[in-house]
Amino acid sequence: GAGVSQTPSNKVTEKGKYVELRCDPISGHTALYWYRQSLGQGPEFLIYFQGTGAADDSGLPNDRFFAVRPEGSVSTLKIQRTERGDSAVYLCASSLEGQQRGSSYNEQFFGPGTRLTVL
Amino acid sequence: KNQVEQSPQSLIILEGKNCTLQCNYTVSPFSNLRWYKQDTGRGPVSLTIMTFSENTKSNGRYTATLDADTKQSSLHITASQLSDSASYICVVSFDRGSTLGRLYFGRGTQLTVWP
């Protein structure tokens, strides 16, 4: 595809349920990022993948959140035992390379997001 | 505490007018600073990216400035159009060790352009 795609665009679930959010990055992009954006706030970093491995998962709020990228392309963000406070837009972004010291730019291209609502 | 602060929180201007949005960041070492435009219901789209050695960067009617000494940046929009109505987010990338993978986002300035 031409850009980053995310599915579903909207997800409504009940408190305590399990959800999976999918991200398809731009073909050839090795780096993939997940962010969470609450209403009226800027995106908040969750996790960053370089290839198949999570290079930085320090933004995951707790152990209910987990993300995988088994083949270095598509990524899935998994949330167990969802809580109402998990309601937000979950954004995915990809870039050609992960950011390294000394590099000038590494533009991240964002998907449209998945709006998660936990009732 | 948010390490990237933006002002104003919201701004209303008339079509054709200019405006300037402000961004202050507090943490170093700093790698690069970006301004993104986010339309409602969409993901952010990059407008400008500057390293610490760059003072200004333009993209059409958008001009970003950076003062790395005072840790301040501004985004100037000239001859505003209705389509400029969006949230403008300042994003700072910090240098951590040998690699870095996260961006720090401000809360954004919500700009509304009226006809």
Side-chain angles (χ1 to χ4, degrees):
Chain A
V4 178
S5 62
Q6 293 186 244
T7 55
S9 56
N10 282 283
K11 176 70 176 178
V12 180
T13 190
E14 294 179 344
K15 179 175 179 296
K17 299 293 187 181
Y18 168 82
V19 297
E20 289 189 351
L21 312 179
R22 176 188 168 105
C23 173
D24 282 81
I26 293 173
S27 178
H29 280 192
T30 61
L32 184 146
Y33 310 80
W34 282 100
Y35 297 88
R36 178 169 67 176
Q37 186 172 25
S38 301
L39 190 64
Q41 304 290 320
E44 175 189 20
F45 171 83
L46 294 176
I47 186 170
Y48 152 55
F49 286 92
Q50 182 62 272
T52 61
D56 183 354
D57 65 356
S58 59
L60 296 177
N62 51 60
D63 60 6
R64 295 187 297 106
F65 289 75
F66 188 68
V68 296
R69 195 185 184 199
E71 298 180 357
S73 177
V74 171
S75 177
T76 304
L77 178 65
K78 309 180 182 205
I79 310 174
Q80 302 180 64
R81 304 183 304 279
T82 51
E83 300 177 355
R84 293 192 179 88
D86 298 335
S87 297
V89 174
Y90 289 82
L91 293 166
C92 175
S94 71
S95 65
L96 195 57
E97 298 178 343
Q99 296 177 280
Q100 296 181 353
R101 183 191 293 271
S103 66
S104 296
Y105 310 128
N106 188 33
E107 184 169 356
Q108 295 185 18
F109 296 86
F110 283 81
T114 293
R115 180 174 297 278
L116 174 66
T117 303
V118 182
L119 302 178
Chain B
K1 183 181 186 309
N2 199 338
Q3 297 171 350
V4 181
E5 299 289 344
Q6 291 188 243
S7 62
Q9 183 176 355
S10 61
L11 182 63
I12 299 174
I13 61 174
L14 295 177
E15 186 179 15
K17 298 297 185 182
N18 304 335
C19 67
T20 301
L21 314 179
Q22 301 292 340
C23 174
N24 297 324
Y25 60 95
T26 59
V27 182
S28 62
F30 146 87
S31 178
N32 57 64
L33 185 145
R34 312 153 188 242
W35 283 92
Y36 280 86
K37 178 186 179 185
Q38 186 174 23
D39 293 308
T40 300
R42 309 290 292 275
V45 174
S46 178
L47 295 175
T48 63
I49 304 176
M50 292 181 289
T51 68
F52 64 88
S53 61
E54 297 177 291
N55 301 120
T56 186
K57 181 69 68 77
S58 291
N59 178 4
R61 294 180 296 103
Y62 301 103
T63 299
T65 64
L66 173 64
D67 185 336
D69 292 331
T70 62
K71 297 186 173 62
Q72 295 180 328
S73 176
S74 65
L75 179 69
H76 187 72
I77 305 174
T78 59
S80 60
Q81 301 175 359
L82 298 179
S83 60
D84 292 334
S85 295
S87 178
Y88 291 83
I89 306 175
C90 175
V91 185
V92 181
S93 177
F94 297 118
D95 198 352
R96 288 193 312 162
S98 59
T99 64
L100 55 88
R102 72 166 60 188
L103 303 179
Y104 289 82
F105 290 74
R107 293 183 178 181
T109 291
Q110 184 63 45
L111 176 66
T112 303
V113 181
W114 284 5

